[in-house]
Structure formats: structure tokens, C-alpha cells
Amino acid sequence: MKIVSLFHDRRYNVNGDDELDVDEFLGVCEKAQVELDREECSAIMTLLDTDGNGLLDFRELHAALRDSSLRPTLATRKAAAQQGRRRASAL
């Protein structure tokens, strides 16, 4: 599957606006078997959403995939979110 198709395919881009909101992006991650909860997905979206409109467009995702400097940041955010969930479940 080409990445650009995610933004045109109504299975992922439910409202057809060629941008993904958090829930649509979460659906893409689930389809790709990337285990994220909504909070983790939202944190990643915040990093990738360079224009700050709360949506992810092809340009933003493409730029992020090409930007190797984001990889450590995304891994750190996911680890922090998982650690927070473990602390909460221990209470």
C-alpha cells in the first residue's frame, strides 16, 4: 500500500477530507499492527502535525518519514506513555 492512499481511502480517511484526525490515524496504526493507544497516537500526531491544525496530511507524514531525527523522539514519547500507564495500573 502506498502511503498516499491512506489519505484517499475511505476505510482510513472516513470523512474524505484527505487528512487524518487522531481516530483515523489510530485506525491506520491498528491496520499496520502498530500497537498504540489513543494517548500515544495523539502524542505522535502532535509531533507530526507541523501546521498545528490537529490533522495529519500527506505532506506532514511524508516529511516525518523522511526525517530520521524524529525517530528517537517518537520512541521516547511511546516509552513515556507506556511507563505512565504502568504507574497508573500499579495504583
Side-chain angles (χ1 to χ4, degrees), residues 75-87:
T76 301
R77 286 275 178 113
K78 183 176 180 184
Q82 289 171 337
Q83 184 177 18
R85 281 198 311 276
R86 283 193 294 270
R87 285 184 192 148

Side-chain angles (χ1 to χ4, degrees), residues 6-47:
L6 298 174
F7 296 90
H8 302 299
D9 189 326
R10 288 290 180 100
R11 289 176 293 175
Y12 309 110
N13 185 357
V14 178
N15 62 2
D17 64 357
D18 293 340
E19 297 177 308
L20 302 176
D21 63 22
V22 173
D23 293 321
E24 291 168 332
F25 186 59
L26 185 58
V28 168
C29 292
E30 289 171 355
K31 178 69 175 174
Q33 298 179 344
V34 176
E35 295 183 25
L36 297 171
D37 62 23
R38 193 170 196 288
E39 180 182 333
E40 293 167 327
C41 194
S42 181
I44 291 170
M45 289 268 308
T46 299
L47 282 174

Side-chain angles (χ1 to χ4, degrees), residues 45-63:
M45 289 268 308
T46 299
L47 282 174
L48 302 181
D49 178 23
T50 57
D51 64 10
N53 69 350
L55 301 169
L56 185 62
D57 61 39
F58 173 74
R59 180 189 51 78
E60 292 167 324
L61 182 58
H62 185 260

